[in-house]
Structure formats: structure tokens, C-alpha cells
Amino acid sequence: MQFEHAPQLRGAYPDLVAGVVLADGITATTDVSARTAGYLTEARRRLTTGGAESGFPEIQAWRRAYAAMGLRPTSYRCAAEALLRRLRLDGELPRVHPLVDLCNAVSAAYAIPVAALDLDRVDGDLVVRPAHGDEAYLSFAGDTEHPEPGEVTFVDSAGRAHARRWTNRQSGWSAVRTGTSSVLIVAEALHPGGEPAVTRLVADLVTELTDGWGAPTAAAVLTAAAPRFRTPTAGGQAVSPGTR
């Protein structure tokens, strides 16, 4: 499969940098509490020293993007802002699944949205693009919705939408669950100079997946100059962060 952002999206957001990690052999039995603790400590440190998450440059960039899309940023927050806000108000993040818990902790530490998709629930290629309006999105409540025309979403070859409002809400269809084995993890940054942070984030995820699950990984950092990620063929070698 291939993952990419549509050219018109990259044209509208020239600072867009995405980190992509593919991993197999994920299970729901791995204990990640010790691994997530350090990332949550870093997130709390930033909230203590840097003030509310809404002022972070990473979050400000997403707020500007949402405003440009006609969305009120305080009504529709990117996933990283929602996690940081919950951490600031509640002191902890909910536990969902070991992999999701890890991705959420990393997302909070970097203030960059991170999504984990069950790759077996993605049909063919995956493109982040404005919706046509006929894509099918399954909510966590089990309802089928259709993104508004022009709304940014993740769309697979079957026309299924795997997100609402870009990084605001993930689909229940491809959410990581107990039986998930293969995952595609996507981190997206819009702030100027975000490539070094995304590169470090991807390297952290590769390390955690290798140490925690022994999961074979392939990874890349996608930019306007190298916008596509292709999954390795059977027997192919893992790709190190920064390789396209």
C-alpha cells in the first residue's frame, strides 16, 4: 500500500511534515506503563513551564489550519491538543490499548497528532485529502457518517474515510483493537521547522515498538520533496526514519 498527502493539501500547508511507521506483530498484552511514563512526564513539564497547550507553537499551527478550513479551533481540536488538555485537567490519560496508550503519550510529549490505524482494516492505498462528501466514516458509536465536501480526511481505495476533520477524530472502523496485529502510525506536524521534531518522534516510536513488541518496522519522514510512503514488499528491509 501507499500513503501520501494530496498535492493540494501540501500546497495549502507548505510546512506539513509527516512521520509514518509500519509495524507488525502488535499484541494487546504488552505492558507499556514504564514506557509511557517518561513521555507523560515531558508533557507535564511543558504544561507547567510553557502554560496552556493552546499556546504551544505546534498547537497554534493546527489552530490556524482549522481556522483556515472554517472550523472553530475551540470546538474542533487536533488530537494532540485534546490529549494535552485532558492531561492538564485530569492529570492522566485514559488507558485504551497498549499501542494506543504509547502513541497518545508520545503525541502529548511532542504536541504533535499521532494516529494508529489497524492496517488490516485499510483497503489499498491511503490518501489524506479533501473529501468529496460520499466517503463513509464509521463513528465509535457505530454510526455511519459522511465527511463534508472539502473536509480533510484519510481516504482508502474503497472510499472509506478513516478520520473526521483531519486530526480531530479517528474512525472506529480502523481503530486499534485487541486483535490488531499490523498497524500504520501517522504523525503530522504543521509548525515551521517541524521536520527535526517529527524525525525524533519517529525514531522514538521505532525504538519503543522494537523494544516493547519486537515488531519489525518500516518508517519514513515525508516532506514536499518526498511525499509518499510505500509498504515494503514481503522480505523487504525496514526503512530507517528519514528514508523515503
Side-chain angles (χ1 to χ4, degrees):
M1 69 91 75
Q2 178 175 284
F3 173 86
E4 65 180 319
H5 290 79
Q8 63 265 45
L9 205 61
R10 286 199 169 277
Y13 303 97
D15 292 312
L16 169 63
V17 178
V20 183
V21 180
L22 173 74
D24 295 310
I26 299 301
T27 66
T29 57
T30 299
D31 183 1
V32 298
S33 55
R35 299 182 182 281
T36 61
Y39 296 108
L40 293 178
T41 296
E42 170 60 17
R44 292 188 185 97
R45 183 197 66 78
R46 287 196 67 180
L47 289 168
T48 300
T49 61
E53 65 283 348
S54 59
F56 292 3
E58 301 91 340
I59 302 303
Q60 282 287 308
W62 278 103
R63 285 189 163 219
R64 289 192 296 271
Y66 275 36
M69 291 186 286
L71 301 171
R72 180 180 294 180
T74 53
S75 298
Y76 301 104
R77 295 178 170 87
C78 77
E81 181 177 0
L83 287 170
L84 284 164
R85 185 171 186 269
R86 185 157 190 172
L87 185 63
R88 175 172 56 83
L89 296 176
D90 298 345
E92 295 289 345
L93 294 179
R95 294 186 179 183
V96 180
H97 177 286
L99 179 70
V100 176
D101 298 348
L102 174 65
C103 290
N104 284 347
V106 171
S107 176
Y110 280 91
I112 292 174
V114 177
L117 295 87
D118 185 328
L119 200 54
D120 291 331
R121 308 278 284 183
V122 176
D123 193 330
D125 294 339
L126 192 63
V127 182
V128 186
R129 63 163 173 79
H132 301 318
D134 58 353
E135 299 85 355
Y137 168 92
L138 185 69
S139 73
F140 278 85
D143 300 319
T144 298
E145 303 173 2
H146 299 283
E148 296 291 332
E151 178 185 328
V152 179
T153 183
F154 288 50
V155 185
D156 67 18
S157 298
R160 188 178 292 277
H162 294 271
R164 291 295 311 267
R165 304 174 189 91
W166 202 341
T167 63
N168 171 246
R169 188 154 53 100
Q170 196 172 336
S171 168
W173 177 259
S174 55
V176 172
R177 63 204 74 208
T178 301
T180 296
S181 178
S182 299
V183 295
L184 183 71
I185 303 172
V186 181
E188 297 164 289
L190 295 181
H191 60 289
E195 185 172 357
V198 172
T199 301
R200 292 194 303 273
L201 185 157
V202 167
D204 281 348
L205 282 175
V206 169
T207 297
E208 300 295 357
L209 289 163
T210 302
D211 292 350
W213 281 271
T217 58
V221 175
L222 308 182
T223 63
R228 297 178 186 85
F229 172 82
R230 293 180 177 86
T231 57
T233 56
Q237 296 296 311
V239 183
S240 60
T243 304
R244 287 86 171 183

